[in-house]
Amino acid sequence: MSTNTFTAADSRPELEDLLGENEWTQLARKHWNKHTKTRKVKPDVIKKEIWDVLENEGFQFRSLLILESLHLLENYLWPGYNENSTNHHVLLIALIATVKNRENLPVWDTFSDDAERFSSVFRRVLSMSLDSHLSVVIRTHILSFLIGAFQSLDNGFIRKECAPLVSISIWQNLSSEAARERKFEQHAQLKKVWRTAAKRYDSGDEASQAKLRFDRAWLYSMLLDFIGRLQESSSENTVYCERFLEFLTDLESQLPTRRYVTTLVKDLNLLALIRLSPTFNGEENGLFCDLFVLLRQFVNFPVDDNTGIQYTQVQSYEEHCARLARLQRASLKNFKEKLTILALSNYAAIEKRTELEAHLGSLSDKELADLSGLLGFRTKYPPSAKVEVGRDLLMEILLSSHERRRTFRESVRDLSILPTEAALYEPTLLRNEHYDGSKSLAIPKLNLQYLSVGDFLWRSFVLYRCESFFEIRKDMEEAIKRLQPQHTQLPNSVRFDGFSRMAIPISKPAILEAAPPRVGGDKPAFVRAEIGLDVSRLAESVRREWESLRQDDVVYLLAVDPIDSSRDLANGHAIHASSRDFGLRALRAAEVERVLDEDGRVIREMPDGETNGYIRRPRLRRLIVKLDAVAWQVDTKRKAEGKPDIYESLNVVVRRKGRENNFKKVLETIRNLALSDIPVPGWLQEVFLGFGDPSSATYTKLPNSLNQLDFRDTFLDWQHLVETLPDSVIETTTSQEPSIKPPYVLDGILPGSLEPPRPSKKRRRDGSELSQPMRKSIKVSTYQPPNNGPYPTDAPKVNQVRFTQTQVEAIMSGTQPGLTVIVGPPGTGKTDVATQIINNIYHDFPTQRTLLIAHSNQALNQLFQKITQLDIDERHLLRLGHGEEDLETDVSYSKHGRVESFLDNRGHYLAEVSRLAANVEAPGAHGNSCETAGYFNSVYIVPAWSKFWDTANAAETSIPNITTSFPFHQYFSDAPQPLFPPEASREQVLDIARGCQKHIERIFTELEDIRPFEILRTSRDKANYLLIKEARIIAMTSTHAAIRRQEIADLGFHYDNVIMEEAAQITEIENFIPLALQNPKDDELPLQRVVLCGDHLQNSPIVQNLAFRQFANLEQSLFLRFVRLGVPTINLDHQGRARPSIAELYKWRYPKLENLPNVLTETEYLLANAGFRHEYQFIDVPDYKGTGESQPTPHYFQNLGEAEYAVAMYQYMRLLGYPASKISILTTYAGQRALIRDVLGHRCAKNRLFGLPRIVTTVDKYQGEQNDYVILSLVRTTRVGYLRDIRRLTVALSRARLGLYILGRRSVFETCYELRQAFVHLFERSNQLLLRTGEIFPTDRLLGDEVEPTEMAGVEHLGQYVFVITKAKMDSLKAGGMPLPVIEETPEVMRVDEEDDGEGPVEDGVEEEEEKYGQGEDVIDVT
């Protein structure tokens, strides 16, 4: 029996495996895929036909995958389980559950319907995990099942089973009572917990006591078994030991599971035993050694296991010194003759392993044992552990316990950020690249909980670095492959026969300067070099890409040798033991300082090069770069030792796309945060780490919550207010409630304001009243909004959205201090909610500043554009990053755009000052500057207003006298007249005057704000002042925040609130960094509010590498983790995007999702789609010319039949009159996107009857977008592929408003258990496209009208029909003498798949590929 070693990619079952006549499909049809409700499980079938077959083939993963895909667990094993089921039945449940977990599929939902039966299964699995009669392979699978369970403690029924296994009762297994008492002395409350556990045991019956005895002994028994296995050396045993280290690391990495486990692990001296074991010292067991290092990191993590408080560096060192002091005292008291020097030495002299070993070496074996016993270390083990307590073990115990330990901060500080060939090809990274789930990995996981903020930052740093280096290595290998290095006749010379737009061959770089180290440093301050680029043969577009390199961009200098073309491939990339296997002898990173032309001029300052109409072709460009100083120092030492100079052999420079090459700045940001002990706001700390009450950060639990708030224009009218607060008693000061108009101020909005229910008219038959819940009492008041001035532009912008009850709940929570998590299903208006929250905060808290964060420029711009439509002064808005130019606004909101706007406004307002001066006949140049304007205001304007109000407020002054005494008639002569209507009352006249005063005051307030821009000299100073002083709403992408964090914080940037859009699409570290863009005040970040808007049931963050995505859980967002932790969420529950029938396709993911009135009543939702029988349909596309899906290069999937069908449908819709801008074509793979674009380019781009659709892109990139009509190509014809992740399918089905047409292979998707609820509605209709002929767009046919459809038999049939219509339309146009229509322009702002601002991450689906058009496929013109 052997473990599975082949890759998961090679083992994927295809359609034939699930529908064919192999043994597994026949077994499934016979026993569990029959259409019967009751399926009796037969033990013989379990044992002989399933278990024995699997066992004989060594539990091949392919067979397990087929059984999982055939729904063995859901349809047979779990429904048929009972207490009398066999052990093989239980083992199969564990095996299939492990397969699902390995495939990142929902596992525990299957068992959630019966927690009692699951408990039975789990207890039996625990028992079998200790069964020595089971093979190592089986026990490894059981261990994998348990690892999955302990990683899913957010499920209550799993937590109930796992918690007793790591409770304080396991301390029964400590070496002595004294060891336990020492722990009790450290924390007095532990003794209470211990006594409570003892009482529970004493009060239980015999069965309960037996269960408790098993629970407290299970982990101890597992540890002893593991210790015994460390002495064996078989490969199967090594795999088990690796899994066990992963299991222990998982326990140690979360506080609830490590709280008592760490004490037991240390009591057993486990780390010392592992380090001395044959398994650890075997040369072939590198993974095991790396896993040990990871486990040691967590076991020794500086955190109080009881309180969860991380020790500071000082506290950690004091604890270390205390251990040494205890050793010195024991040495001096008991071994004075031999250890006097040790006892009298300072700590620094004995904290290193070598020095300490030298001191202890003088002791005999018995003395070492005595010293260990005196210090409280275990020196005796049960026979089952197979441990011989000898000198080596005792010495290792003493050394490992007292040596100075490397902290997580030191490991973060010492890890390189810039790559070298050695860093890119570390064995750990290579293992990550070829991960298939069959083995553990020595990388930290992002868990449900963290030990501390520092722990979270350390894990994030390690994982982000690994992911970045993985991507860099892929890009370097791709560039080398494209360059095709070849041997030449000259020694040490390479010829490049190929071409890559991302790489240029170079001669060796010229070293210009190596600056001496800075004070306290040991590496050069910088090393400057010059690289010559021959650009004479480059196309102009490629040359400009090289010329557009920006300062601090990272480029890569490679020493490349010819490579052997016969190497093996895996996943499209070569499997290498080292960089030289791919021809990469050396790699050094460098940062660009500037790009020069051949004459030494900076490229950005050059003229266009045109002289008398002739453009001189550039030949040379020079890159001035800063080399990696750390690598330079190492290389210099190597050179001094007589080794070759690496820089002499560098012959290629490689660049990467801007949006993929921000890793250095992001890593620097994470490292700086990890080293700085950045705190989380106190009110958010426990929730962020995953401890305590999940609701403790919501406003209802915070002491600074507000019981009264002004909701301004949130409510449109009184009826709206009453409708959205149905559980509250609404009270007001007036009896005429409906006549009260907004804005509304609500008092008593906190939960404590409850009043008894009013007497009910309904009574029970016995005469008693029906009980009613207590209802919150809210007092509502209103006020007259201030008059802003007499001009139409002075009128405030007012919200027009009639928010639903849950939307109002979200707005109320977001306006309050604390944490708000808003779950927004597709089309539920979470952006409108976020906008209103921002508006309320802006007006209610005028001194606070708000930071807006989104994953993409697209989402951020959508949010920002809605903000600009509200009553928010544009001078307080700022948009950072390169996506600002895509904003559909009349003014620029970038830093420099805002500065220019301020200066433009300056001229306008100073002209107004001059008009005011003319009004009051004040001599002088008062409109010359902001300073003179301020003087003019204080000398002339303020006294004039004071005089007027003295007159106006006098009781004897009549209305005519008030209007006559008004001092600014001349100034307001251009306002709508009459300024004071003759019929106006006294109060109305005074209100108009107050509005005029506010208008004038605003002029001088604006000028006062503009005044610093007169004084500041440089553009940089003006922009920075704008950021830290003037702007109150600042928007940026999460990537921009990560890149610029240090720069922004150093400016003294301060903000009070963070609102994140698309929070579920942002990785957890990118969620965290925006919370820490400012420096702490009084050791705490001064945040008041954190609002997260997103949808965890749609796409997660995109992580390319399978190991980091599935094993390390790097795709976890803070939003998803909060949901899993049980943080209260506000779930928006009314959608207003799609037809109700289309919303039904994904409503099963959101059981409470309802429809807004607009989708039920508006005409466009009631009418049918012209030319189509149905508003949505799944079209089964067979093989086209004998071919279904194809894969020109690894992971680059295409389907020509579906591409042709999609384009033919688009042509058909255009011929009927559908606007191109209303049609989007989506697909699940980038290869198909490229193919569809090819077909469109061939057939539609230059044809004015068709043009191009609004966009052709992947599903992943279209999240957050929508269009009226969507054509969706699913591509795969052999297996479901990554669409089995139902989050992606949810996105795909929810992009269309009025029409959704899906192209796919029915037989593939109807076999998928996870997708069955989505496809059940689709498969109720015909598999062939049904058209309604004779209609043009738009139609007046209602959606439910019965019509006689025309069925399209396939793509050829549809193509021929399109050809006939095209010919008829062309003939009609020619006969009528009408010109062809103008090609419709596609709005550039909607091209969400174009490159971002150079700061966004790659997000193109699980497999991101370089765009290749066609890939050698023929584009067939079916017309």
Side-chain angles (χ1 to χ4, degrees), residues 715-718 736-744 781-783 785:
F715 304 100
L716 302 187
D717 50 49
W718 180 263
Q736 296 179 343
E737 294 177 346
S739 65
I740 299 180
K741 298 184 182 298
Y744 297 126
S781 59
T782 187
Y783 59 91

Side-chain angles (χ1 to χ4, degrees), residues 1016-1237:
L1016 296 171
R1017 295 299 180 190
T1018 66
S1019 298
R1020 184 182 183 87
D1021 289 341
K1022 293 176 182 178
N1024 291 339
Y1025 178 86
L1026 178 72
L1027 173 63
I1028 63 176
K1029 293 292 185 182
E1030 192 63 34
R1032 286 180 51 199
I1033 298 175
I1034 303 98
M1036 66 184 77
T1037 63
S1038 57
T1039 309
H1040 185 89
I1043 294 171
R1044 304 293 180 189
R1045 187 264 162 192
Q1046 195 63 48
E1047 176 185 335
I1048 293 173
D1050 288 345
L1051 289 173
F1053 178 57
H1054 163 73
Y1055 55 99
D1056 305 274
N1057 316 297
V1058 175
I1059 297 178
M1060 292 191 196
E1061 178 72 293
E1062 289 184 329
Q1065 276 191 279
I1066 305 175
T1067 59
E1068 195 160 6
I1069 185 60
E1070 289 181 314
N1071 281 131
F1072 176 81
I1073 290 174
L1075 306 182
L1077 283 184
Q1078 57 187 330
N1079 294 320
K1081 291 184 178 180
D1082 300 325
D1083 296 325
E1084 187 167 311
L1085 293 176
L1087 281 179
Q1088 299 290 316
R1089 295 169 186 80
V1090 175
V1091 180
L1092 304 180
C1093 304
D1095 183 6
H1096 58 291
L1097 299 181
Q1098 297 188 60
N1099 279 350
S1100 61
I1102 302 299
V1103 177
Q1104 302 296 325
N1105 185 283
L1106 185 68
F1108 306 131
R1109 185 171 68 252
Q1110 292 188 3
F1111 182 86
N1113 204 20
L1114 186 56
E1115 69 172 359
Q1116 174 175 271
S1117 66
L1118 182 64
F1119 187 96
L1120 173 60
R1121 189 163 69 87
F1122 278 170
V1123 172
R1124 291 182 62 199
L1125 284 168
V1127 172
T1129 61
I1130 299 171
N1131 302 291
L1132 306 184
D1133 55 6
H1134 283 75
Q1135 72 89 22
R1137 171 188 295 171
R1139 296 183 192 270
S1141 56
I1142 294 179
E1144 284 293 326
L1145 299 177
Y1146 53 87
K1147 184 180 176 181
W1148 62 279
R1149 293 283 279 158
Y1150 311 96
K1152 296 183 179 180
L1153 186 64
E1154 302 295 336
N1155 299 301
L1156 287 171
N1158 68 302
V1159 300
L1160 301 174
T1161 59
E1162 291 181 4
T1163 303
E1164 64 176 346
Y1165 293 100
L1166 300 178
L1167 294 178
N1169 294 339
F1172 292 95
R1173 171 63 183 88
H1174 299 296
E1175 74 280 18
Y1176 69 83
Q1177 195 177 355
F1178 182 94
I1179 300 109
D1180 192 15
V1181 181
D1183 288 353
Y1184 181 65
K1185 299 196 172 185
T1187 303
E1189 71 177 53
S1190 61
Q1191 199 175 358
T1193 58
H1195 307 302
Y1196 198 76
F1197 292 100
Q1198 296 182 329
N1199 186 321
L1200 184 58
E1202 289 186 17
E1204 294 285 0
Y1205 211 125
V1207 174
M1209 284 189 68
Y1210 168 72
Q1211 289 179 300
Y1212 172 71
M1213 296 175 73
R1214 291 289 289 132
L1215 290 169
L1216 297 190
Y1218 285 86
S1221 61
K1222 299 291 186 182
I1223 305 171
S1224 294
I1225 301 180
L1226 306 183
T1227 180
T1228 50
Y1229 289 90
Q1232 184 73 349
R1233 174 187 63 184
L1235 183 58
I1236 292 173
R1237 286 178 174 174

Side-chain angles (χ1 to χ4, degrees), residues 156-176:
F157 65 95
I158 295 176
R159 187 167 59 249
K160 181 181 177 182
E161 302 302 325
C162 294
L165 304 175
V166 291
S167 69
I168 198 171
S169 298
I170 65 175
W171 283 5
Q172 287 279 1
N173 306 292
L174 296 183
S175 57
S176 64

Side-chain angles (χ1 to χ4, degrees), residues 447-678:
N447 292 337
L448 198 61
Q449 300 167 319
Y450 300 107
L451 303 180
S452 68
V453 176
D455 171 40
F456 161 71
L457 292 169
W458 168 71
R459 298 191 210 188
S460 299
F461 179 83
V462 172
L463 293 175
Y464 194 95
R465 178 179 179 271
C466 289
E467 170 76 358
S468 300
F469 282 15
F470 164 75
E471 295 293 339
I472 292 170
R473 185 172 69 251
K474 284 204 309 181
D475 290 344
M476 297 305 108
E477 291 179 357
E478 181 69 18
I480 294 173
K481 182 177 71 173
R482 289 178 177 274
L483 286 175
Q484 300 176 22
Q486 303 294 333
H487 290 284
T488 67
Q489 296 180 352
L490 298 176
N492 300 323
S493 178
V494 182
R495 182 183 74 251
F496 296 97
D497 291 348
F499 169 76
S500 170
R501 68 185 302 143
M502 309 304 290
I504 296 179
I506 60 171
S507 58
K508 66 177 183 179
I511 307 300
L512 302 179
E513 180 184 8
R518 294 186 175 92
V519 176
D522 59 352
K523 64 179 182 179
F526 61 85
V527 181
R528 185 174 288 118
E530 179 181 309
I531 305 168
L533 305 180
D534 181 3
V535 297
S536 59
R537 298 183 179 181
L538 297 182
E540 183 179 0
S541 60
V542 178
R543 174 176 58 79
R544 291 194 179 278
E545 289 175 5
W546 282 94
E547 292 174 347
S548 63
L549 287 171
R550 296 178 291 183
Q551 186 177 3
D552 297 332
D553 281 352
V554 179
V555 294
Y556 307 86
L557 308 178
L558 280 54
V560 176
D561 292 330
I563 55 178
D564 181 10
S565 60
S566 62
R567 63 191 180 281
D568 295 328
L569 293 178
N571 293 330
H573 297 279
I575 303 176
H576 307 302
S578 69
S579 60
R580 288 182 178 270
D581 294 340
F582 200 79
L584 179 59
R585 192 193 321 167
L587 180 147
R588 295 294 178 266
E591 294 179 81
V592 175
E593 279 196 343
R594 55 189 180 274
V595 184
L596 308 177
D597 71 345
E598 46 214 293
D599 298 323
R601 295 177 298 179
V602 177
I603 291 292
R604 296 181 185 276
E605 299 174 357
M606 286 180 56
D608 59 10
E610 183 172 334
T611 306
N612 296 327
Y614 170 73
I615 300 178
R616 183 169 59 89
R617 186 179 184 85
R619 300 183 57 82
L620 180 66
R621 292 289 180 260
R622 299 175 182 174
L623 286 183
I624 306 299
V625 299
K626 289 188 296 185
L627 300 176
D628 182 356
V630 175
W632 166 266
Q633 185 181 34
V634 173
D635 295 335
T636 303
K637 291 179 180 178
R638 291 179 71 257
K639 183 179 178 182
E641 295 170 358
K643 296 180 180 178
D645 184 359
I646 286 177
Y647 298 92
E648 294 285 335
S649 60
L650 297 176
N651 55 5
V652 173
V653 60
V654 181
R655 63 183 174 88
R656 300 173 71 216
K657 294 179 180 178
R659 63 177 181 171
E660 303 166 7
N661 205 30
N662 298 311
F663 73 97
K664 179 179 181 291
K665 291 183 178 180
V666 177
L667 283 174
E668 285 177 341
T669 293
I670 303 173
R671 182 169 67 180
N672 291 339
L673 290 172
L675 297 178
S676 65
D677 286 331
I678 193 77

Side-chain angles (χ1 to χ4, degrees), residues 906 909-914 916-917 925-942 1000 1003-1008 1011 1014:
R906 172 182 177 273
Y909 288 125
L910 289 178
E912 294 297 295
V913 171
S914 298
L916 280 169
H926 300 290
N928 190 50
S929 68
C930 296
E931 184 178 5
T932 58
Y935 174 79
F936 168 72
N937 180 46
S938 60
V939 173
Y940 291 96
I941 302 302
V942 173
I1000 292 176
I1003 293 173
F1004 292 102
T1005 301
E1006 295 261 6
L1007 287 172
E1008 187 63 30
R1011 186 176 177 184
E1014 285 187 339

